[in-house]
Amino acid sequence: MRISLGDVSLWFDVSGPSVIPRGDTTVERPVLVAVHGGPGLDHLTVKSALGPLAEDFQVVYFDLRGHGRSDHSSAEFWNMRTWADDLRRLCDALGLRKPVVLGSSFGGFVALSYAALFPDHPGGVILASTTGGHQDQQRVIEAFGRLGGPEAAAVAQRTYADKTGDYRAEFLRVCYPLYSGTPGWAEESRQLQARMIKNTDVALHYSTHEVHAFDPWSVIGAVRCPVLVLAGEDDPICPLPVVEELAGQLPAETTRLVRLPRARHTIFRDRPDLAFPAVRHFVSQVRESQPASC
């Protein structure tokens, strides 16, 4: 499905019903808005991971501007402020008041920016496997080295230094399979990469023009909604110390950090026994705290 926000049309999809029967009445279920990873990828990065949540919630997936099946718009709008505003306007267009937003990996950058730039809009935000925009390249290189040896560390280092995208394919071949340590991930990740719609122009533009133009951490003090931070203890692309620092910057009274042992970047795949219950509990708490009209 597509929805027009005026200057851009975004593609979105929904898993799970909004209303379910219960006895002689019906019950509205919570809605969770999922923001995908990237930049340059599409909603399959989260849809493949969050499927079980449709048993409890209605989950809205969409492709960010410039990504997947959404309008590509133009490069001047491929930036964090625009993506955060698009997220806000998408929720408004769908009639979602005080939405709970789950941003995974790069999607966490967008979700954090949205929560900071529009602090009265979200009901709650879940930051999953993300550093929220902060880059600590040396820690990432060292983490890939621990998991994949010298070759993985060297590829990660070359990818960070590359401004042309020439090493992107090598990173996907060597480092992407290290995103999970559970059996079957190598083939699953290959299929996921084959199925996704990629826009390398967005990835290159973001890494060369936008990544240093706006740091979500610079406005983190404005976040007022409850935040759940989920972190794999062995995540190579979002090292735990950086995620802990991110959580420490958020309001202590409304922020919960859940560390997931023996989980890498694919936390919902690696530790479904911990990750999914944490999300369900958080959404339940947010819903209980909201007035009935929300």
Side-chain angles (χ1 to χ4, degrees):
M1 296 177 284
R2 300 180 69 86
I3 190 166
S4 174
L5 303 185
D7 66 318
V8 69
S9 176
L10 299 184
W11 181 94
F12 76 100
D13 196 5
V14 174
S15 290
S18 172
V19 178
I20 58 173
R22 183 170 295 173
D24 294 333
T25 186
T26 58
V27 177
E28 288 192 23
R29 302 201 309 168
V31 179
L32 185 70
V33 181
V35 190
H36 64 78
L41 305 179
D42 69 9
H43 72 284
L44 288 182
T45 61
V46 283
K47 192 172 187 179
S48 63
L50 302 182
L53 290 179
E55 299 171 6
D56 302 277
F57 315 131
Q58 183 176 74
V59 186
V60 177
Y61 303 97
F62 73 104
D63 288 339
L64 292 163
R65 178 195 300 249
H67 296 73
R69 294 167 174 83
S70 289
D71 286 354
H72 281 192
S73 184
S74 56
E76 63 188 291
F77 298 108
W78 297 342
N79 59 70
M80 202 55 61
R81 290 181 181 273
T82 300
W83 288 320
D85 188 52
D86 285 349
L87 171 57
R88 176 187 65 86
R89 293 192 295 151
L90 172 69
C91 292
D92 287 346
L94 295 176
L96 304 178
R97 294 192 59 204
K98 294 292 182 180
V100 177
V101 174
L102 187 156
S104 178
S105 195
F106 174 79
F109 301 8
V110 179
L112 181 61
S113 300
Y114 153 75
L117 296 174
F118 310 103
D120 295 325
H121 200 269
V125 167
I126 301 169
L127 302 176
S129 303
T130 184
T131 59
H134 183 70
Q135 301 291 316
D136 192 326
Q137 298 178 6
Q138 190 55 42
R139 276 197 170 120
V140 172
I141 293 167
E142 291 170 357
F144 275 115
R146 287 193 297 272
L147 295 176
E151 181 189 15
V155 169
Q157 187 168 29
R158 287 196 293 269
T159 302
Y160 273 119
D162 178 32
K163 300 301 181 184
T164 64
D166 290 345
Y167 290 102
R168 185 173 180 82
E170 187 180 29
F171 181 89
L172 293 176
R173 178 181 62 82
V174 175
C175 294
Y176 195 70
L178 300 174
Y179 277 29
S180 175
T182 56
W185 171 245
E187 175 59 18
E188 186 178 326
S189 65
R190 185 198 65 78
Q191 290 182 342
L192 184 61
Q193 285 292 326
R195 292 168 182 162
M196 279 190 294
I197 297 174
K198 305 181 187 71
N199 186 346
T200 56
D201 290 341
V202 171
L204 288 174
H205 176 81
Y206 181 78
S207 63
T208 55
H209 295 88
E210 302 296 340
V211 69
H212 301 297
F214 173 71
D215 178 7
W217 283 37
S218 67
V219 292
I220 204 171
V223 175
R224 291 200 289 267
C225 69
V227 179
L228 172 65
V229 182
L230 299 174
E233 290 189 353
D234 300 318
D235 189 340
I237 199 72
C238 298
L240 182 61
V242 184
V243 182
E244 290 175 331
E245 187 180 352
L246 166 64
Q249 298 284 334
L250 291 160
E253 63 276 10
T254 55
T255 302
R256 181 186 177 208
L257 170 63
V258 176
R259 302 171 181 85
L260 305 173
R262 301 186 305 282
R264 296 186 189 178
H265 196 56
T266 57
I267 56 172
F268 295 101
R269 188 183 193 280
D270 294 352
R271 294 306 307 264
D273 57 321
L274 298 178
F276 287 121
V279 171
R280 294 184 179 107
H281 180 68
F282 177 77
V283 174
S284 176
Q285 284 189 315
V286 168
R287 198 181 197 198
E288 289 173 2
S289 68
Q290 292 176 352
S293 60
C294 292

